[in-house]
Amino acid sequence: MNTTADAPLPAALDDEIEHVALDEDYVLTASFVEKVVDASDAGDGLKLRSLLEDLHPADVADLMGFLTSEHRAVVVLWLPADLLADTLPELDDGIREEVLERVPHLTLAEALQELDSDDAAAVVEDLEDDQRERVLAAMPDVDRAAIESSLGYAEDSAGRLMQREVMAAPQFWNVGDTIDHIRKQGEEMPELFFDIYVVDPLNKPVGGVAISRLLRAPRPTPLTEIMDPVNEITVEQDQEEVAYIFEKYHLISAPVTDAAGRLVGQITVDDIVNIIQEENREDILRLAGVSDEDRGSSVSEIVRGRVPWLAINLATAVLGASVIGWFEVTIQQIVALAILMPIVSAIGGNAGTQALTVTVRALATRELNSSNAPRTFWRELAVGLANGLVLAPLIGIATALWFRDEDWRIGLVIAAAMVLNLLVAATVGVLTPLTLSRLKFDPAVSSAVFVTATTDFFGFLIFLGLATIVLL
């Protein structure tokens, strides 16, 4: 006899369980991805649409990363126009370029009209020149002009990041005038805004009124009585600097002004979150000597990005190995040194990477500058010395016991070498990114290679040099 637990699930309920797209960690389930793949293989467009139409655009973008190029080509054709529009800005750059090649230009032009000007410009930027011309030609004049204007600014500037849809009010209006104006806007109103920017007759922002404050104030209240000062962003400012301003002053939105100080757009916090994640991702990849790659990157693209840094690492490794050749006689007489010398360089490399990571992060968040750089340097040097004094006795005693039949003084040598190399690691871990930053280079790009090369070189030199002096 079948128990309740053994009884088969009704077909409708079984299908509903398998239709669940996300698990408890908001990650796409393997069964859901498999259903999409099966529907794609079968060319079942209606099934694909029913699977995808209720997904959030971010989840659709995540799904694209799990699919092959062939499956993406089928799926994108069955996305509703509004869902396609919201999904395109969420895609990884490599996948987005591939997807855009599959979308007919008329469909793409229709989808872009659903986006804010900043998101639309980001998508159009990835189009090939001929496809871009066809898509822009199929769009209304107002939308096309907004996108072309955004593309006229530098790639990482506030002008490219901003959206032109903005809500402004003249400074002689009161609360009632402003609310009535907002209600009359209809489709012309920005999809997302947090503040009303108060402007003078020259369209220069003189203050801002939060929506929550506007709704609480009596209708006759002049805007000038309830407005607050605003942090203006200029169109030329770098997006990393804009993100710093938002983080420092806890902004939700900020007006963007042109060279003459006139209001031309706004930047909202959702854009800044993307920028912060983007910058952090780039810094992490660069610290490891890896180019900006994602799930859509091909093998050849990844290899081209990694090989140059591996070649540099190879050259620095040869430099470190050359030090060993200087002490060939010492190593021949005391074979134990060959076993122990990687320990000194490895510990130094790890300590240098720790100091480097902390320093690069402090530079990126502007917690470190010329005023507190000396204090930071001496602090890291003290940390290196303290680490050395903790670890050196441990490795020294262990080594003396291990090689007591040969020469117990090897323990003293490796202990002293470790302390000295940790001081070297702290020094280069702080000074390398500071120097690169002062020279206007990105400290996250090449610091790690220089730090590990230096700790290897001096680790071998100090250890083998001390061994030669003390033991021979």
Side-chain angles (χ1 to χ4, degrees):
M1 186 174 90
N2 288 336
T3 63
T4 304
D6 297 329
L9 291 170
L13 181 57
D14 182 56
D15 183 67
E16 180 181 348
I17 291 175
E18 291 188 350
H19 194 82
V20 174
L22 305 177
D23 61 19
E24 62 274 9
D25 296 322
Y26 301 96
V27 177
L28 290 170
T29 61
S31 61
F32 181 82
V33 175
E34 185 178 351
K35 276 184 169 293
V36 173
V37 170
D38 291 341
S40 176
D41 288 334
D44 191 346
L46 296 179
K47 178 69 172 178
L48 283 173
R49 179 161 290 189
S50 69
L51 287 169
L52 301 176
E53 61 186 358
D54 293 330
L55 281 183
H56 189 279
D59 293 321
V60 177
D62 198 25
L63 172 66
M64 291 294 192
F66 289 110
L67 301 178
T68 64
S69 178
E70 292 75 15
H71 290 130
R72 284 195 290 263
V74 177
V75 169
V76 71
L77 296 177
W78 289 97
L79 289 176
D82 56 343
L83 181 57
L84 173 63
D86 292 331
T87 299
L88 287 174
E90 302 285 345
L91 293 171
D92 293 337
D93 291 343
I95 295 177
R96 183 165 62 202
E97 291 177 8
E98 176 190 312
V99 166
L100 291 174
E101 294 176 359
R102 307 282 186 175
V103 181
H105 72 278
L106 291 178
T107 302
L108 187 54
E110 179 184 354
L112 291 177
Q113 295 174 47
E114 303 292 328
L115 296 175
D116 291 330
S117 57
D118 57 331
D119 291 330
V123 173
V124 171
E125 180 185 11
D126 289 336
L127 298 175
E128 298 293 338
D129 291 341
D130 56 342
Q131 187 184 14
R132 183 185 303 174
E133 291 178 4
R134 292 197 303 270
V135 170
L136 290 176
M139 297 182 68
D141 293 341
V142 175
D143 294 327
R144 180 173 66 250
I147 292 175
E148 290 176 340
S149 177
S150 294
L151 293 176
Y153 295 107
E155 182 176 354
D156 294 330
S157 67
R160 181 70 69 89
L161 183 63
M162 73 177 180
Q163 63 180 75
R164 291 187 165 272
E165 298 81 9
V166 62
M167 190 63 67
Q171 61 189 136
F172 58 83
W173 276 10
N174 59 28
V175 170
D177 297 328
T178 308
I179 292 176
D180 293 340
H181 172 72
I182 293 174
R183 289 172 176 168
K184 291 177 183 177
Q185 292 303 298
E187 295 295 327
E188 301 298 324
M189 186 168 60
E191 182 177 347
L192 179 68
F193 66 101
F194 304 97
D195 298 285
I196 307 294
Y197 299 116
V198 183
V199 295
D200 64 13
L202 296 177
N203 202 39
K204 296 181 179 181
V206 295
V209 180
I211 293 297
S212 58
R213 192 169 188 179
L214 181 79
L215 295 178
R216 289 198 301 265
R219 289 180 61 87
T221 307
L223 292 181
T224 52
E225 289 187 9
I226 59 173
M227 70 180 186
D228 294 314
V230 291
N231 295 87
E232 294 182 24
I233 306 293
T234 62
V235 291
E236 297 87 3
Q237 283 183 275
D238 185 86
Q239 63 180 21
E240 194 170 349
E241 184 178 357
V242 175
Y244 173 74
I245 294 172
F246 265 72
E247 183 179 8
K248 181 175 182 179
Y249 297 108
H250 309 292
L251 303 181
I252 297 178
S253 67
V256 182
T257 57
D258 60 14
R262 295 185 297 265
L263 179 67
V264 292
Q266 68 170 342
I267 294 176
T268 53
V269 69
D270 59 317
D271 299 313
I272 297 303
V273 170
N274 293 334
I275 296 302
I276 293 174
Q277 291 178 335
E278 212 176 277
E279 296 292 342
N280 288 341
R281 177 172 172 268
E282 287 180 2
D283 287 344
I284 291 172
L285 291 175
R286 287 171 176 174
L287 277 172
V290 180
S291 63
D292 189 14
E293 57 192 52
D294 53 42
R295 290 178 294 183
S297 301
S298 65
V299 172
S300 60
E301 290 172 338
I302 294 174
V303 170
R304 284 198 302 269
R306 296 186 186 183
V307 162
W309 292 107
L310 291 176
I312 295 174
N313 283 334
L314 179 61
T316 57
V318 171
L319 177 64
S322 66
V323 179
I324 301 174
W326 301 347
F327 299 95
E328 183 177 354
V329 175
T330 303
I331 296 174
Q332 286 176 350
Q333 295 186 45
I334 309 174
V335 180
L337 299 179
I339 301 173
L340 297 173
M341 61 185 180
I343 297 176
V344 179
S345 63
I347 294 297
N350 287 335
T353 301
Q354 289 176 340
L356 170 65
T357 303
V358 170
T359 305
V360 169
R361 176 195 169 276
L363 286 170
T365 57
R366 306 192 185 189
E367 296 174 4
L368 178 60
N369 53 41
S370 57
S371 64
N372 63 351
R375 184 170 70 251
T376 300
F377 170 74
W378 290 112
R379 184 192 65 186
E380 287 298 326
L381 206 62
V383 170
L385 178 61
N387 287 337
L389 294 177
V390 170
L391 297 176
L394 300 178
I395 189 63
I397 293 172
T399 301
L401 294 175
W402 187 5
F403 296 102
R404 63 180 179 275
D405 294 336
E406 297 185 30
D407 194 330
W408 62 269
R409 291 178 299 172
I410 296 178
L412 293 178
V413 170
I414 194 172
M418 183 168 291
V419 173
L420 293 175
N421 201 31
L422 286 175
L423 292 176
V424 170
T427 300
V428 297
V430 175
L431 293 185
T432 299
L434 281 174
T435 302
L436 290 173
S437 179
R438 179 65 63 88
L439 297 175
K440 305 301 182 184
F441 293 107
D442 189 341
V445 174
S446 55
S447 296
V449 174
F450 185 81
V451 168
T452 54
T454 304
T455 53
D456 284 350
F457 181 89
F458 281 99
F460 294 141
L461 180 64
I462 293 170
F463 178 58
L464 296 176
L466 287 176
T468 302
I469 296 171
V470 175
L471 303 177
L472 298 183

